[in-house]
Amino acid sequence: MIELFDLHKSFGKQKVLDGLNLTIRGGMTTMIIGRSGGGKSVLLKHMIGLLRPDSGSVVVCGKDITRMNDRDLNEERKKFGMLFQEAALFDSMNVLENVAFPLREHTKKKDSEIRRIVRDRLYDVGLSGVEEKMPSELSGGMKKRVGLARALVMQPEIVLFDEPTTGLDPVMSEAIDRLISDTQRNFNLTCVVISHDLKSIFTVAHRIAMLYEGKIIAEGTPDELKQSDNDVVKQFLKGSLEGPISVM
Amino acid sequence: MIGSIFAVLDRTGRSVIHVLEELGGMLFLFVSIARWAVSPPFKIRQIMKQMEFVGVKSLFVVILTGLFTGMVSALQGYHGFKMFSAESLVGSTVALAMTRELGPVLTSLMVTARAGSAMAAELGTMKVTEQIDALYVMASNPVKHLIVPRVIAGVIMLPALTIVSDFVGIFGSYFVGVGLLDINKGMFIRNMTKFVDLGDIYNGLVKAAVFGLILSFIGCYKGFKTTGGAEGVGKATTEAVVISAITILICDYFLTALMF
């Protein structure tokens, strides 16, 4: 579904991706794990063309998006939905306008139909009666749900999640994890989730890829990763200070 | 010795590259704005909303600025002209100054402080909270959605505000000159209509439109290029106001040299 070949990306002198290769399989949830500031969000942004690599290619459904012009890239982006780390809801719009935004931009549906679709998507993410609220009136968990409703409203094939449970309490984290699993199953989506929440890793993911020093150093099912004899993977999954990952 | 020469060359080179990058970024954004401004569908609702923000909501501050500028100009002019008994020229002098210079320049500086800074702060906040990335992800172009309506509003509303500023400024000078300083009413108005022609007003409005373009473009550009969280938003806002104000004053000189 998404293939990344020999991806390189630097910001100034800092090398973030260093010859990264990864294949995201269709119809399942792939979780990308790695330490904070290790380039996971940068990797996710390459998948949807928000960042262009210094070299290498990103192939989505057989098409290389790194060589596309803006118009073709926009067409490809319609296959995607994305939930941002802080939800990235538009401050100046209420919940209804936020979720309806892609429908009003890209379809000619009547307002009554748009309102019905928005209500349905909000119901899917466990929210109702919040259509008129502004983002500033919502809790962190509610914002993420609205962000997910907005990501799903155009019925995308692929949904990208950038640290969906960061900053949430354990109960809300569990609720969001379950929502991701249910959504993936119900809509048969291809999901890519970035996280360093160890609990999420084993409840949400069909496959896991570990990013370390700009490369994918291990990839497999959650069980395969648990059995991995790679010292970096072992240290990360154990959450230990001892090992090749240095904190200082 | 050689090391310090290389260090100076390095710093100079970096500065030149930085300036060229900024100019290139501005040119690229300007071309993009021009392209999206003429490509349908037109975002009429957003344009109207921005026109209200830039124009209607700046009205009070523009009226106050214009009124007191006209009043103080009349007061100063009166004392100057009185030395050679030409007090009746106060009206025409203030009217010329307001329509040609003070109206467009002061209005633009006030709108820069009020709306240009807000544009940079709002777009900067949207940038650092990934709302602009969200627009890209939803296959919508942020230039068309966010920048074009603001630039159109700036170009349309600045001349409109300048007309108001010119009017209240002249009214202020009339109030001070005729009402408080006893200048002959007939002479005051006759001299004003004799020395000020429509060309002065038109040229002032053209200036205002150019200044509207400058302040909205720089406000949006700085907001759009914001990095680094709250500190970055503050820096972008300050830069937007300072660069816009300086650019307006420099352009004013060249426009005046061309027009009058």
Side-chain angles (χ1 to χ4, degrees):
Chain A
M1 196 86 185
I2 306 175
E3 293 162 294
L4 307 147
F5 297 110
D6 196 25
L7 225 50
H8 289 261
K9 182 71 180 177
S10 299
F11 295 101
K13 286 177 182 167
Q14 190 190 0
K15 197 165 244 200
V16 180
L17 303 179
D18 186 15
L20 181 142
N21 290 289
L22 176 66
T23 299
I24 306 291
R25 299 185 191 185
M28 51 177 69
T29 300
T30 302
M31 190 166 268
I32 297 167
I33 60 173
R35 53 182 307 191
S36 299
K40 301 190 294 299
S41 294
V42 169
L43 172 57
L44 205 67
K45 285 180 178 178
H46 277 85
M47 290 183 194
I48 198 166
L50 283 176
L51 291 173
R52 301 223 185 215
D54 297 336
S55 64
S57 55
V58 179
V59 178
V60 178
C61 303
K63 293 179 190 165
D64 185 352
I65 64 166
T66 53
R67 282 158 185 74
M68 279 181 181
N69 59 32
D70 287 349
R71 185 178 297 179
D72 292 341
L73 185 57
N74 264 352
E75 281 307 308
E76 281 307 303
R77 281 179 179 147
K78 290 178 185 169
K79 292 178 183 162
F80 284 86
M82 183 166 176
L83 174 59
F84 287 86
Q85 201 169 339
E86 303 292 334
L89 301 179
F90 302 126
D91 296 329
S92 56
M93 297 181 187
N94 64 22
V95 168
L96 174 85
E97 290 166 335
N98 261 288
V99 181
F101 185 86
L103 292 170
R104 288 187 171 142
E105 275 296 296
H106 301 301
T107 70
K108 295 195 186 308
K109 292 183 195 299
K110 286 182 186 161
D111 198 51
S112 56
E113 196 184 351
I114 288 176
R115 283 173 179 272
R116 184 188 59 73
I117 296 169
V118 169
R119 268 197 305 275
D120 288 350
R121 288 293 86 83
L122 286 172
Y123 180 79
D124 288 339
V125 298
L127 288 174
S128 57
V130 296
E131 287 90 335
E132 301 305 322
K133 284 189 188 290
M134 298 302 285
S136 57
E137 298 173 87
L138 304 176
S139 69
M142 286 167 92
K143 278 184 192 166
K144 299 230 173 172
R145 284 163 186 255
V146 174
L148 181 57
R150 187 175 69 179
L152 296 174
V153 80
M154 292 292 283
Q155 298 180 311
E157 297 167 42
I158 306 162
V159 182
L160 310 178
F161 297 84
D162 190 359
E163 301 197 14
T165 56
T166 298
L168 300 180
D169 64 68
V171 178
M172 186 53 75
S173 296
E174 174 68 25
I176 294 286
D177 280 346
R178 194 167 294 178
L179 193 58
I180 294 170
S181 294
D182 292 348
T183 309
Q184 190 276 326
R185 207 170 33 250
N186 295 342
F187 295 92
N188 191 31
L189 296 170
T190 301
C191 293
V192 182
V193 185
I194 276 178
S195 185
H196 34 64
D197 184 342
L198 290 177
K199 195 160 167 281
S200 300
I201 292 170
F202 296 103
T203 54
V204 172
H206 296 112
R207 297 189 67 77
I208 299 173
M210 170 126 191
L211 176 66
Y212 183 67
E213 293 186 341
K215 292 185 176 73
I216 298 295
I217 56 158
E219 199 213 339
T221 63
D223 283 336
E224 284 168 353
L225 247 77
K226 265 187 205 168
Q227 310 299 325
S228 171
D229 51 8
N230 185 309
D231 290 338
V232 176
V233 177
K234 279 200 278 191
Q235 184 193 353
F236 189 83
L237 294 183
K238 229 192 285 176
S240 163
L241 282 174
E242 306 299 321
I245 305 174
S246 61
V247 181
M248 298 301 174
Chain B
M1 179 66 185
I2 290 173
S4 62
I5 291 171
F6 275 120
V8 170
L9 284 175
D10 183 49
R11 271 202 303 277
T12 313
R14 279 174 202 279
S15 303
V16 170
I17 288 169
H18 177 71
V19 170
L20 288 177
E21 273 178 355
E22 283 278 303
L23 289 175
M26 282 187 173
L27 184 65
F28 185 75
L29 183 64
F30 191 79
V31 171
S32 184
I33 291 169
R35 190 163 66 92
W36 284 109
V38 294
S39 312
F42 302 107
K43 304 285 175 190
I44 303 296
R45 208 168 140 220
Q46 275 107 313
I47 293 171
M48 298 302 280
K49 197 174 156 192
Q50 290 303 322
M51 282 170 71
E52 188 206 359
F53 176 70
V54 174
V56 180
K57 292 188 174 170
S58 300
L59 208 50
F60 180 67
V61 71
V62 166
I63 287 174
L64 271 186
T65 311
L67 184 67
F68 281 94
T69 304
M71 286 167 72
V72 79
S73 301
L75 203 55
Q76 291 281 18
Y78 176 80
H79 294 304
F81 283 120
K82 200 181 173 191
M83 286 190 270
F84 39 96
S85 302
E87 297 95 319
S88 61
L89 287 172
V90 165
S92 51
T93 311
V94 174
L96 272 177
M98 284 305 296
T99 52
R100 286 180 168 203
E101 287 300 327
L102 297 176
V105 172
L106 291 180
T107 301
S108 305
L109 293 178
M110 294 314 287
V111 176
T112 297
R114 206 197 72 78
S117 60
M119 286 177 194
E122 189 179 357
L123 295 191
T125 305
M126 289 185 78
K127 178 81 190 306
V128 300
T129 56
E130 296 184 310
Q131 292 175 52
I132 289 177
D133 279 348
L135 275 171
Y136 280 118
V137 166
M138 288 186 276
S140 295
N141 190 293
V143 173
K144 184 165 188 65
H145 269 276
L146 302 172
I147 299 184
V148 168
R150 284 168 171 81
V151 171
I152 290 176
V155 172
I156 293 174
M157 293 317 286
L158 259 291
L161 288 169
T162 300
I163 291 172
V164 175
S165 175
D166 289 352
F167 178 78
V168 295
I170 292 168
F171 173 79
S173 73
Y174 180 86
F175 172 74
V176 171
V178 176
L180 302 181
L181 302 171
D182 280 335
I183 298 173
N184 182 282
K185 186 163 74 174
M187 292 295 282
F188 186 97
I189 292 174
R190 200 169 70 87
N191 278 338
M192 197 189 297
T193 51
K194 188 176 162 190
F195 290 111
V196 181
D197 61 33
L198 277 177
D200 296 317
I201 299 171
Y202 289 150
N203 285 335
L205 298 184
V206 171
K207 276 186 178 182
V210 174
F211 299 158
L213 174 68
I214 290 169
L215 74 92
S216 55
F217 175 74
I218 292 176
C220 291
Y221 175 79
K222 282 290 163 190
F224 216 59
K225 295 287 171 190
T226 303
T227 51
E231 192 190 352
V233 175
K235 194 169 163 239
T237 309
T238 309
E239 284 180 0
V241 173
V242 172
I243 296 172
S244 296
I246 290 170
T247 312
I248 285 169
L249 293 172
I250 292 172
C251 279
D252 183 45
Y253 173 80
F254 289 104
L255 286 172
T256 304
L258 272 176
M259 288 171 169
F260 300 106

